[in-house]
Amino acid sequence: MLVLVITMGLAAFAQEPAAAALPPDAFAAQLRTCREGNLDPQAPPEDRRRWVQLLLTFKSPEADNLVLELLNPAHRPEVQRAVCSELSAVLRSDPLRANPEFVEPLIRLLGSESVELRAAAAKALSEYQDGEVAVLLGRLASDSAATLPARLAAISALAANTHRRDVVEQLVPLLRLGVPEISEQAAAAIEPIAPQGFGTDFEKWNDWLSAKKDLGPEAWLSEQVRIYRDRLRRVQTDLALSQSDRERESAAAHSRIREFQREILRGLSSEQRAAKLVEWIDDPLAIVRLAALSIVKSRIADEGKRPEGALLASLVSLLQNEQVVVRREALDILQNLRDRSVVEAVLAQLERESDASLRLAMLDALGKLGDSVAVDALIREISGPISDPRGIREAANALGQIAARTRTGPSSEQGSESSISGQPTVQFQPAVEPLRRRYGEMAAEQLPVRAAILRAMAGVADSSFNAEFLQAIEEDSPTVLEPAVRGLATIKDTTKIARIRTLCSHADPRVRLAAVEAIGVLGNHDDDLAVLQNRLTPPLESNELVRQAAWKGWQTIVAGRPIADRVRAAERLRDFSQLETEYLRNLAQTLATTSNHTTSLQTVRERLVTILTSAGKYGEAVPYLRELFDGYTARSDAAAWPTGLRLLEAILQTPGQQGLAELIQRLSQSAQGDSQKAKIVETVRKYVDSPAMATNPDRARRLRADLGTIEPSTVGDGWTDLLSILDARLSAAGTNGPAG
């Protein structure tokens, strides 16, 4: 029967009825049930606790009388302890429930022989904020007729409220009683509230308290807050110093172990080294693992040794390690390895990773790994209803990286087509709607997240993102402008080309870079070339990446024009001689592969020769002069002879150039009369008289050897005299004549 009553009472407790809401008979039955449930000697502690909780929900004299009855020492200590424990919990949340009638029986329980009951009663009394209760506790603590445990329990009840001055006024006098246990416990209770400890010295504590007598309640509490704040600051400083010392010692130990490991590895073969690294990575000591991971990292960076086989498997397994620092170090290595097993392991760990910062690092790593198998997980992160904005940002950035790499990578033909058609590749099609929906949900001030989503949109390159890009490109924030410009470039939208031109001179280099690259993709007018040329000038553009992008874009635009326009375009680069040379070289190489642009090719080569010889780069000019000379000669063009002389001069000015004697013989054979042959002698004589020959006897000797292979009669009058002059100079310089 009692079991049935208890069960009904527990069901009633689940509804927590108020006394006034129950009929008198039902309420009386509830109280009887609570009494019987509490006094049942076979009731488990948790059931008794529930009965007390139910009883304390009734705010009525009858319920309070039952509480007083249960606190009666005549009952078992476990009943009284349950009432005290639940009463302290109720008073903490509802101070108005503090019935003064409970105080006397609670104080009486402080003299119990049960340690647990004394502690529970003291805790319940500590929840009373009434000054009269503090006075009663102080009297008990100073009462020499009371037992020592009861007096100490009273001090425990007071100690919980030392932020109140009336409580401190009860504790300080206890220091002069001469009872060591009383003095020590009272001093321990009040020591935290003073800026310095006075031990058990009553006089010092009394003087300190007397000095505070004029403080009002607020001033007293303010001083307490200041004392605790200063103490907290000191503790935090000590903690920071301790942590710094520990980190320094840990770093030193880590470095020492790493050096020991390196020393061991030096004497091992390649296979043995890999096995030893696996052994260390599997070691239960984190410091051994971390040292081994740093060795693996340096082997990748310095020697290009990618982990593979068992070593790679061990690294992958560390993503599940119980220590965050180990998982983070392993991820730091693995994120640079383009391996499907790594991607799958990161995706698996992402689902169960509990560390928020490491989870963000994993999303970032998926972008670096660049495998489209991660697309579904990234879409879930972006579109999840409870996704963290930071997670959305990292997932969107990663998706943008993977999509851009897939779309423009050399192995992705479909991706290349999608960049023209404005349609994403098949694996990225599911990302279109989640990206648009999430972007629409973002507040305007959430710039980093919006920028990341725009970057993902640019990577996916779907033409339906046009509206988002057009709206974002009109904003002022560089964070949003940069991905918006890239987005318009990927979907080939030229409607904002004028705006993009102005952004090429934006204050933020990220925006300038994106705008310059977009002009290279979208531009085709002379205005676009002019904008890019402005970015080629170092005084106007300080960022090297922007200058490189401007040069690449300039070449891209020009490459789409007719050959004649491409040749004339070189004139635009007159102020950039190095770039002009590079451009003309590439153009000459392109024209040389065709057979119907001979005149344009000659023009380009002539311009190249002029630039190179003006800069004293005769050796670089020789191949172009030789090709011009051979071409003019083959067509019996009158330009062959002057070009040959220029080639002769360039070969003479270039030490080590081959074909000097052969060229002189060809020129001599094609010369029209003695006057042209005399030009050959004059050109060589001019070089012989140059400072370069006077200061370099070895060069002069090699020249004499080359010239000696030419029959004088081939060149005509003056050749023999030239050789004699050269021999005399060699003799005067103390060198031997020509070999042979």
Side-chain angles (χ1 to χ4, degrees), residues 487-550:
L488 289 175
T490 59
I491 64 173
K492 303 296 188 295
D493 187 323
T494 60
T495 56
K496 291 290 183 179
I497 189 71
R499 167 70 168 159
I500 296 176
R501 287 174 188 149
T502 63
L503 292 177
C504 288
S505 57
H506 195 277
D508 192 299
R510 298 170 301 171
V511 177
R512 294 203 304 275
L513 179 60
V516 164
E517 290 177 345
I519 291 294
V521 173
L522 303 175
N524 59 8
H525 297 294
D526 287 351
D527 290 344
D528 300 313
L529 291 177
V531 168
L532 295 178
Q533 281 179 226
N534 284 336
R535 295 297 105 193
L536 294 175
T537 308
L540 293 178
E541 180 52 67
S542 59
N543 190 284
E544 175 65 21
L545 291 178
V546 177
R547 294 200 299 271
Q548 291 176 0

Side-chain angles (χ1 to χ4, degrees), residues 318-520:
L318 291 184
L319 291 175
Q320 303 179 39
N321 190 272
E322 68 278 4
Q323 292 184 302
V324 174
V325 64
V326 174
R327 299 201 299 274
R328 189 180 301 278
E329 285 297 311
L331 180 66
D332 194 41
I333 295 173
L334 294 170
Q335 67 181 355
N336 297 309
L337 306 179
R338 299 287 179 81
D339 191 286
R340 176 60 63 84
S341 66
V342 172
V343 179
E344 292 173 346
V346 173
L347 288 171
Q349 183 60 27
L350 182 66
E351 294 297 322
R352 53 178 174 263
E353 182 55 56
S354 58
D355 185 86
S357 63
L358 185 53
R359 199 170 182 281
L360 296 178
M362 288 180 173
L363 292 170
D364 179 63
L366 290 173
K368 294 177 180 177
L369 289 165
D371 196 321
S372 59
V373 74
V375 169
D376 289 344
L378 296 174
I379 293 175
R380 286 196 300 272
E381 187 73 26
I382 293 169
S383 59
I386 58 173
S387 294
D388 186 314
R390 296 174 302 171
I392 296 173
R393 182 191 66 208
E394 293 299 337
N397 281 330
L399 180 63
Q401 285 180 272
I402 297 172
R405 184 178 292 117
T406 304
R407 178 170 49 81
T408 61
S411 61
S412 177
E413 295 181 3
Q414 185 179 10
S416 298
E417 292 173 1
S418 71
S419 67
I420 297 173
S421 65
Q423 296 298 321
T425 53
V426 174
Q427 64 265 46
F428 296 103
Q429 186 65 48
V432 174
E433 282 308 311
L435 285 172
R436 295 191 66 193
R437 184 170 58 254
R438 180 61 81 182
Y439 186 80
E441 295 169 353
M442 289 294 106
E445 61 271 13
Q446 291 181 300
L447 296 176
V449 183
R450 290 177 57 222
I453 299 175
L454 286 171
R455 201 166 287 114
M457 290 176 169
V460 172
D462 187 88
S463 57
S464 66
F465 297 140
N466 176 271
E468 286 79 8
F469 294 145
L470 291 177
Q471 177 270 329
I473 201 174
E474 297 297 340
E475 297 190 28
D476 296 326
S477 170
T479 305
V480 172
L481 278 175
E482 181 254 339
V485 171
R486 296 193 184 281
L488 289 175
T490 59
I491 64 173
K492 303 296 188 295
D493 187 323
T494 60
T495 56
K496 291 290 183 179
I497 189 71
R499 167 70 168 159
I500 296 176
R501 287 174 188 149
T502 63
L503 292 177
C504 288
S505 57
H506 195 277
D508 192 299
R510 298 170 301 171
V511 177
R512 294 203 304 275
L513 179 60
V516 164
E517 290 177 345
I519 291 294

